[in-house]
């Protein structure tokens, strides 16, 4: 039983990728058609705002067309991989739409990746083209390291571009070539390759098809109740599935405007949101916490902010309560998904977050979710197990990696590695990553539950729980805590936890850290690094 969504379009069962699932019956045939539909209705509307640049849908269309023409003139063809190493700026969107027009495959890459990581991705997908920010020139691998990379285009000032390898991006706009007609594409074709976070080992290239991306854009449109005039702030990287799908493609679907923040800083976020009348964003919970800690938070006019989406990590209960107090008009919405699910799998029905604080929402209309035990058997409602996800938004597999595809997909479902449950009313709860579960003498300790309780203490800025080996119990719980109060002690935090948790769930060890907890380029907490810190200094004094 799923909570209802108002005005939901007609669904029908269809077969794709050898699977059968719900699809939206009326949908654009592929991403070029999606953009064309929006352009026909909203040509004069603002599509992108980046610093002092304001770009209408008509201007976006014209520029993307010229970029596609320039790429075609230089020999780029359908199926070629076009890597995009750009910050949150219009050139990212120009290159993305140009790739769609040519029937090429866009490969967005996070600008924080190091040279060896860039070389791995460029080689794994055999990219032929790289569009990159010129100030990242020193990180671009040499031709010897990436032999397939034939064309490089640098974005930046004249001085930056001169010093960068390859041609200036402006060359594409000035080529004067005839624009090709938008490619006729099958919706099952790959449109984007997005590489997973790579928290362990090499990242895998998830193949996001036109079908996947269109269904995710439609999910956001209907479940967030988006319409023309929406103004969404892009504060996470455009190269991440959240930035690409929840912000850019969702706005391109409804004729909304993308407010582009090149690099997140809490004050810059609040200034842009206030000045440009932001109505929506979707970010990791840490961004909310950082904004709330700005000393003059109340002076920013956030009255237009209608929906505050969050995902990627549990939102501390203390942060949700602070938002409700300071922004009473804001509708908080938890959305759960992954690169392999083209962003959302679940979404909290609007207005229901306060009644379901521990839930990531309900399963989306074209998604299917099963809770499975370790033997691959479905468990009853309310029971705990690994979440297996299927549906129109789930990718068919990983680029040129049959072994990983076979390992991580089963019976049309992607095995998420997340431990959770679905209650009788259809609300989903995420308890932990499967690999992060702590087994303390046979008792299961879910890290997210303990971290949520720690977040309610006024001195805790952020926290993370990991397992620590123990010769008697097998594992004990080790908490890392960033505190705003130097006088805060481990004993105080344990006493606080004891008011809310069973005794076996209390952190056995508490280590206070001097700065923010380690995160990857997409803002996700890296518990692997905390384990490395613990292993490197096992005699460190706790609390």
């Amino acid at each position: 039983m799923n909570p209802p969504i108002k005005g939901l379009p007609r669904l029908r069962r269809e077969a794709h990728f050898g699977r059968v699932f719900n699809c939206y019956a009326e949908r654009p045939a592929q991403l070029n058609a999606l953009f064309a539909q929006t352009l026909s209705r909203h040509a004069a509307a603002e599509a992108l705002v980046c610093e002092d640049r304001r770009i209408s849908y008509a201007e976006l269309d014209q520029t993307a067309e010229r970029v596609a023409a320039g790429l075609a003139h230089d020999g780029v063809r359908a199926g070629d991989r076009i890597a995009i190493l750009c910050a949150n700026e219009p050139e990212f969107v120009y290159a993305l739409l140009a790739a769609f027009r040519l029937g090429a495959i866009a490969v967005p890459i996070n600008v924080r990746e190091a040279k060896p990581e860039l070389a791995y991705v460029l080689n794994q997908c055999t990219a032929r083209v790289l569009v990159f920010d010129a100030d990242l020139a020193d990180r671009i691998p040499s031709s010897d390291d990436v032999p397939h990379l034939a064309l490089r285009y640098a974005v930046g000032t004249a001085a930056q571009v001169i010093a960068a390898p390859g041609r200036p991006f402006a060359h594409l706009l000035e080529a004067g070539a005839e624009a090709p007609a938008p490619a006729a594409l099958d919706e099952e074709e790959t449109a984007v390759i997005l590489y997973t976070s790579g928290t362990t080992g090499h990242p895998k290239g998830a193949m996001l098809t036109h079908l996947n991306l269109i269904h995710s854009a439609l999910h956001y449109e209907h479940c967030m109740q988006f319409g023309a005039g929406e103004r969404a702030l892009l504060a996470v990287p455009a190269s991440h599935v959240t930035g690409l799908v929840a912000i850019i493609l969702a706005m391109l679907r409804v004729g909304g405007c993308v407010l582009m923040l090149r690099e997140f800083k809490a004050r810059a976020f609040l200034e842009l949101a206030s000045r440009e009348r932001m109505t929506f964003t979707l970010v990791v919970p840490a961004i909310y916490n950082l904004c709330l800690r700005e000393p003059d938070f109340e002076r920013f006019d956030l009255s237009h902010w209608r929906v505050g989406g969050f995902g990627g990590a549990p939102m501390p209960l203390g942060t949700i309560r602070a938002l409700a107090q300071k922004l009473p008009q804001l509708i908080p919405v938890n959305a759960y998904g992954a690169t392999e699910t083209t962003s959302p799998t679940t979404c909290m029905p609007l207005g229901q977050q306060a009644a379901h604080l521990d839930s990531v929402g309900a399963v989306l209309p074209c998604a299917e979710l099963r809770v499975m035990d370790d033997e691959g058997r479905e468990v009853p409602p309310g029971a705990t197990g690994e979440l297996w996800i299927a549906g129109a938004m789930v990718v068919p597999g990983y680029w040129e990696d049959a072994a990983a595809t076979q390992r991580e997909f089963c019976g049309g479902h992607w095995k998420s590695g997340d431990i959770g449950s679905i209650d009788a009313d259809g609300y989903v709860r995420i308890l932990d990553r499967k690999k992060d579960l702590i087994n303390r003498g046979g008792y299961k300790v879910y890290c997210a539950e303990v971290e949520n309780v720690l977040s309610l203490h006024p001195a805790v800025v952020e926290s993370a729980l990991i397992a620590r080996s123990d010769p008697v119990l097998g594992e004990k719980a080790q908490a890392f805590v960033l505190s705003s109060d130097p006088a805060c002690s481990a004993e105080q935090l344990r006493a606080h936890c004891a008011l809310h948790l069973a005794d076996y769930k209390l952190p056995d060890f508490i280590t206070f850290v001097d700065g923010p907890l380690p995160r990857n380029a997409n803002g996700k907490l890296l518990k692997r690094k905390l384990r490395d810190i613990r292993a490197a200094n096992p005699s460190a004094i706790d609390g």
Side-chain angles (χ1 to χ4, degrees):
M1 174 180 175
N2 285 359
I5 297 172
K6 295 179 180 179
L8 187 66
R10 183 169 63 91
L11 306 178
R12 68 183 176 206
R13 301 290 285 179
E14 296 182 13
H16 297 278
F17 319 124
R19 314 166 186 170
V20 178
F21 39 69
N22 281 339
C23 292
Y24 286 110
E26 289 80 35
R27 61 182 185 269
Q30 31 95 339
L31 290 164
N32 290 319
L34 179 147
F35 184 74
Q37 289 176 7
T38 302
L39 177 67
S40 69
R41 297 190 297 264
H42 306 289
E46 279 187 339
L48 307 175
V49 170
C50 182
E51 297 173 345
D52 59 350
R53 301 162 73 184
R54 294 182 177 273
I55 299 156
S56 71
Y57 272 90
E59 292 165 336
L60 175 57
D61 174 61
Q62 293 160 8
T63 305
E65 182 178 70
R66 290 166 64 195
V67 172
L71 288 169
H73 180 265
D74 286 353
V76 180
R77 298 292 181 260
D80 286 345
R81 271 72 70 199
I82 300 176
I84 308 172
L85 184 67
C86 293
N88 295 351
E89 58 196 356
E91 285 75 13
F92 179 98
V93 186
Y94 299 154
L96 181 75
L97 293 179
F100 296 161
R101 284 172 186 257
L102 295 174
I105 299 172
V107 187
I109 305 174
N110 196 293
V111 296
R112 292 174 61 181
E113 301 290 5
K115 183 182 286 189
E117 296 164 323
L118 288 174
Y120 175 82
V121 168
L122 293 169
N123 282 321
Q124 204 279 332
C125 71
T126 57
R128 187 157 184 266
V129 182
L130 175 65
V131 177
F132 68 99
D133 281 343
D135 58 4
L136 302 176
D138 60 341
R139 275 194 262 155
I140 305 303
S142 68
S143 298
D144 291 339
D145 292 332
V146 284
H148 296 280
L149 194 65
L151 299 167
R152 307 171 188 224
Y153 302 97
V155 176
T157 65
Q160 290 173 323
V161 167
I162 288 172
R167 300 171 175 174
F169 185 79
H171 157 82
L172 295 171
L173 301 174
E174 298 162 357
E178 183 177 348
L185 300 166
D186 187 278
E187 63 182 349
E188 292 190 13
E189 291 186 48
T190 300
V192 173
I193 299 173
L194 277 186
Y195 282 81
T196 57
S197 300
T199 52
T200 58
H202 284 305
K204 303 178 292 292
M207 299 184 293
L208 281 61
T209 68
H210 289 263
L211 178 81
N212 298 147
L213 290 160
I214 284 170
H215 275 84
S216 286
L218 292 171
H219 273 149
Y220 277 115
E221 176 187 9
H222 299 303
C223 298
M224 299 285 192
Q225 298 178 19
F226 289 154
E230 213 73 56
R231 299 177 73 79
L233 200 156
L234 178 65
V236 297
S239 56
H240 185 263
V241 70
T242 299
L244 175 67
V245 180
I247 306 296
I248 295 174
L249 289 181
M251 291 301 100
L252 294 186
R253 163 62 185 172
V254 301
C257 180
V258 179
L259 310 172
M260 310 187 91
L261 186 64
R262 285 183 60 90
E263 181 181 7
F264 173 77
K265 287 185 173 54
R267 192 160 203 84
F269 175 97
L270 293 170
E271 288 171 348
L272 181 60
S274 174
R275 182 174 67 250
E276 295 294 336
R277 306 181 308 282
M278 175 187 76
T279 63
F280 165 73
T281 194
L282 201 160
V283 292
V284 294
I287 286 180
Y288 286 95
N289 205 18
L290 290 168
C291 288
L292 287 167
R293 290 180 178 275
E294 282 294 300
D296 55 348
F297 177 87
E298 285 79 4
R299 87 166 182 84
F300 294 97
D301 179 8
L302 302 175
S303 59
H304 294 86
W305 193 0
R306 181 178 64 88
V307 177
F310 59 94
M315 175 76 94
L317 297 179
T319 304
I320 292 178
R321 291 172 181 172
L323 285 169
Q325 179 183 6
K326 295 187 176 185
L327 297 173
Q329 89 288 351
L330 182 67
I331 304 172
V333 174
N334 200 344
Y336 162 72
T339 302
E340 288 85 349
T341 65
T342 318
S343 193
T345 295
T346 71
C347 183
M348 182 62 66
L350 296 189
Q352 295 301 308
Q353 192 71 63
H356 303 278
L357 287 175
D358 60 343
S359 171
V360 295
V363 179
L364 292 169
C366 298
E368 300 170 12
L369 194 152
R370 302 172 71 187
V371 184
M372 313 295 281
D373 65 17
D374 290 340
E375 283 71 46
R377 298 172 301 202
E378 192 164 9
V379 303
T384 297
E386 183 181 6
L387 304 184
W388 289 19
I389 303 166
M393 3 64 61
V394 175
V395 303
Y398 300 110
W399 181 265
E400 299 294 328
D401 197 338
T405 300
Q406 184 175 13
R407 182 176 65 249
E408 299 198 18
F409 291 80
C410 181
H413 289 74
W414 174 63
K415 298 186 285 186
S416 72
D418 289 321
I419 300 297
S421 64
I422 309 175
D423 68 20
D425 295 322
Y427 286 93
V428 180
R429 285 159 182 80
I430 306 296
L431 298 170
D432 219 335
R433 289 291 294 167
K434 192 173 184 178
K435 65 176 181 287
D436 289 338
L437 179 70
I438 298 173
N439 188 339
R440 192 182 188 279
Y443 289 94
K444 294 180 179 179
V445 178
Y446 296 106
C447 296
E449 182 182 14
V450 181
E451 291 160 356
N452 261 330
V453 168
L454 284 167
S455 77
L456 296 175
H457 192 282
V460 173
V461 177
E462 59 177 347
S463 67
L465 210 68
I466 64 170
R468 176 171 171 172
S469 61
D470 182 79
V472 177
L473 295 175
E475 292 179 330
K476 287 186 174 181
Q478 163 85 56
F480 289 83
V481 174
L482 175 62
S483 173
S484 60
D485 181 2
C488 182
S489 68
E491 290 72 22
Q492 289 173 344
L493 293 183
R494 287 195 191 93
H496 163 77
C497 290
L499 297 174
H500 304 273
L501 299 169
D503 57 357
Y504 69 87
K505 297 180 182 179
L506 304 186
D508 297 285
F509 307 95
I510 297 178
T511 299
F512 291 91
V513 297
D514 296 329
L517 297 174
R519 299 181 184 275
N520 68 9
N522 297 321
K524 287 188 178 181
L525 186 67
L526 292 176
K527 292 197 174 183
R528 170 176 51 82
K529 287 199 172 183
L530 295 177
R531 295 187 188 98
D532 291 344
I533 293 170
R534 179 75 255 175
N537 193 13
S539 61
I541 298 174
D542 294 295

